[in-house]
Amino acid sequence: MYAVGATGVISAGFSAAALTKSKSAVFLASSLDAEHDASTSPTLCGQTEDPCRSNCALSNVHSHEISFVDIDPTEINITQALGGRSSETIECLRINGCRMDSAVFAAVVDELCLLELPNLHTIDISKNKVGGRLTGNSLAKLLTHATSTRFLSLGWNCLALADLKDICLPICGVVSLDLRSNPLSNSFVRPSSRSSSRSSSRRSSKSERVDASVDTMAWVSTLVSSMPQLTHIHLAQASISDKELTALFHALTRPSTRVEYIGLEWLGLGSRLATLRAIMSSLAPAAGLATHSSALHVNLAANNLGDCGVEIISSSDAKLPSLTLACNFITERGTGMLAKWLPASSLTALDLTDNYFGDQGIVSLLAVHAGVKPNPYYTQIKSLGLNSCCLSDTSLRMLADAISCKWAPLESLRILRNSRMSSGAKTTL
């Protein structure tokens, strides 16, 4: 793998490293730092599991966390988990993989609301079975009681967008919302009277689904507005309709919001190109993004976009600072389209990891088209991710030439795991 060293030489070796440049010097990051940088992306509230964590509640007297992991839901007992600790010291509540349903969660919330929780800032109930209107009511009750909550992780549950209607609270200070792998467009069928006939029950269920869908579209904007501090939202692997995804994305990218990260991985947008086009239109200056947060990062990784998806992106008038297109089957044709788009895109960070376009893709990406002049650079790219792109020493030399010819003011270049590059190769800048 390769890195730029303090002498201004790109070198290859068995230890992976990343090119990192400060205003005063270019220096070599350690292999450990490079691996960390290459694998780190904006997240909601870090769900890294501790391998030493046992299948029970943490009750260390010095801990500021209550945690239940992989236990039977009937064993969840907040008071017992507190032990001798004061509830006022608790900063994090985690209930993960406990098969907890909405009724159990409601009982847990009732128990929590009997305690003083002035410092509780993280609520993580991912990987359970919560969902339905009862969950929305319980979340609203908990957020009203624990007003310091900033990180809300609800991933891998049974939640629909309509179930979150009750958390549209004026006091909501959530900055990070995790809705990954939820059936967000599924409307839960409310239980009907047992005395009703089967036919009337079917009619009622159909009516409830339609009403829920209309209701969701009507209040999605209100949901986003009720979280004025929201900066990160994860929607990866969620089941969400084109109409709802478009409405939600539009609401998240309004000038009045503070959103910095939108995770849209694994949504199959490669087969939903009209939705992708609508999403990119939300990022055009005409849509108001000119006054949006200058730190917005959109993650479109693993959507099977291919070159057709890249064509939609590059033909849009979208203006955004940071974009991830990792693992999207992009070829040299796609990188060529990106090359035409980059000078006018205002993009400063681009991640193309795990797209196997090889050296020819780099040739296309670094192409400078007629009429484009450096001002002072051809593009504004400061961070470029090219991990696992089947690159060889040829790409290394081309990248070095591009840097010296002011293609971009690169500060971070990630070229890890490109096995075609020979060990020990060096290129002088």
Side-chain angles (χ1 to χ4, degrees), residues 149-224:
T149 302
R150 297 293 179 265
F151 305 97
L152 183 59
S153 183
L154 307 173
W156 293 273
N157 277 293
C158 304
L159 285 164
L161 277 175
D163 299 330
L164 302 178
K165 182 177 181 179
D166 291 324
I167 71 172
C168 296
L169 305 169
I171 61 171
C172 187
V174 171
V175 298
S176 296
L177 178 63
D178 187 349
L179 296 174
R180 285 177 287 185
S181 197
N182 273 290
L184 297 180
S185 290
N186 291 356
S187 301
F188 287 83
V189 179
R190 315 304 174 199
S192 56
S193 172
R194 292 184 179 181
S195 60
S196 61
S197 64
R198 180 175 299 180
S199 60
S200 64
S201 176
R202 287 177 179 174
R203 287 195 299 271
S204 175
S205 298
K206 182 178 180 181
S207 175
E208 286 167 347
R209 288 193 182 99
V210 173
D211 291 344
S213 176
V214 173
D215 184 58
T216 298
M217 296 307 301
W219 67 264
V220 148
S221 180
T222 305
L223 173 65
V224 175

